[in-house]
Amino acid sequence: MLAQEKKIKGFSVLEILVTLCLVGIISALAYKPITDWNKQREVDNSAVKVKTLFTNINAQVQRGLYGFVQIYVRTHKNSITIASRGMNTSTLAQKINTDSEFGKIDERCNTNGDYWDDDGLVDRKPEVSRLTLDNVVTSFSGEAAVCFSKDGRWFSAEENFISGTDPVYGMFICEKSAASCTDEEGEIKGNVQYLYEVNWTRFGNINLEKYDGNKEKWISR
């Protein structure tokens, strides 16, 4: 007895076209949410890295390894470089006693690498570090620096982290597509979707906040 032949039916051309159309529509609908999520994750990760760099170098001050430290920031066309620097307590004591410029708040946070005992830009020591970010921007072009000591006495800043003789207490971080986190007047740009601020006190307390545009307020990260 011959076995009955099975009828095998494949997909028709129309069914394949309909399936491809549905896949294309679903992919198109999912593209923007996935892209936005990736962008937010990149900005968030970069902001956390910056906060960690600030926190780690200030921890060295509290441990007594350094008497005076600096976070140095330099913006490039397509990236941001951030490095921590440390000054030994003996060097700090020498500068306090012999360097008249050190007493000036707008002078002692020197951005010259030779000014520091350890420099994260060139030294490969665990106490100092260097960070390069190529997927975010901040609110200024050029250099900036902020310096901390254990008791806050020698807190100071330079370049874009000082206004006149008044230090700045925060740094914006946002998506690269914004070109800058703020406009020429220093106001937050309306088209910035993912905006963070690493801020600090003169005593080296470091915080990270995220801006909620819907509620128009800052939220601790």
Side-chain angles (χ1 to χ4, degrees):
M1 182 176 180
L2 296 175
Q4 186 177 358
E5 293 183 0
K6 294 182 179 179
K7 293 183 178 180
I8 301 174
K9 183 181 179 181
F11 292 105
S12 68
V13 174
L14 179 60
E15 288 173 328
I16 294 174
L17 289 175
V18 170
T19 301
L20 290 175
C21 287
L22 290 174
V23 171
I25 292 171
I26 294 172
S27 298
L29 291 174
Y31 177 77
K32 189 177 187 306
I34 292 174
T35 301
D36 290 346
W37 179 80
N38 283 333
K39 184 184 293 185
Q40 181 177 6
R41 185 183 64 174
E42 288 178 350
V43 180
D44 185 271
N45 288 343
S46 294
V48 170
K49 289 178 181 179
V50 174
K51 180 193 176 183
T52 300
L53 187 147
F54 271 79
T55 302
N56 287 348
I57 194 62
N58 273 289
Q60 304 305 325
V61 176
Q62 298 305 316
R63 288 176 52 196
L65 178 65
Y66 297 125
F68 192 49
V69 296
Q70 179 187 84
I71 290 87
Y72 171 79
V73 182
R74 182 173 64 216
T75 61
H76 311 272
K77 184 177 180 180
N78 296 309
S79 64
I80 303 173
T81 298
I82 305 175
S84 55
R85 293 165 163 171
M87 182 182 292
N88 297 330
T89 53
S90 57
T91 306
L92 174 61
Q94 182 182 17
K95 288 189 177 295
I96 292 172
N97 293 325
T98 63
D99 188 349
S100 60
E101 296 296 306
F102 194 83
K104 301 176 182 178
I105 192 172
D106 56 345
E107 293 290 341
R108 62 175 167 264
C109 193
N110 196 310
T111 58
N112 185 347
D114 294 337
Y115 188 77
W116 302 90
D117 293 306
D118 296 326
D119 183 356
L121 287 176
V122 295
D123 295 324
R124 295 296 177 261
K125 294 184 176 181
E127 296 82 11
V128 292
S129 57
R130 173 179 177 173
L131 182 62
T132 299
L133 305 172
D134 58 8
N135 53 7
V136 293
V137 294
T138 185
S139 55
F140 61 84
S141 297
E143 296 180 314
V146 59
C147 295
F148 303 91
S149 60
K150 188 171 184 177
D151 58 2
R153 179 181 179 185
W154 305 111
F155 174 71
S156 48
E158 259 294 352
E159 302 292 345
N160 284 285
F161 281 163
I162 194 167
S163 178
T165 57
D166 297 324
V168 174
Y169 289 86
M171 172 184 176
F172 289 127
I173 299 170
C174 62
E175 69 266 25
K176 191 172 184 177
S177 59
S180 176
C181 303
T182 57
D183 58 25
E184 293 180 356
E185 285 72 39
E187 299 295 326
I188 297 173
K189 282 186 174 181
N191 65 335
V192 174
Q193 289 182 293
Y194 310 115
L195 176 65
Y196 294 77
E197 184 185 37
V198 177
N199 53 62
W200 49 82
T201 69
R202 65 183 301 111
F203 301 102
N205 304 118
I206 312 300
N207 299 296
L208 175 60
E209 295 180 312
K210 177 183 177 181
Y211 185 68
D212 187 332
N214 294 324
K215 297 180 180 179
E216 296 185 346
K217 67 176 185 179
W218 291 92
I219 301 171
S220 294
R221 166 66 174 76

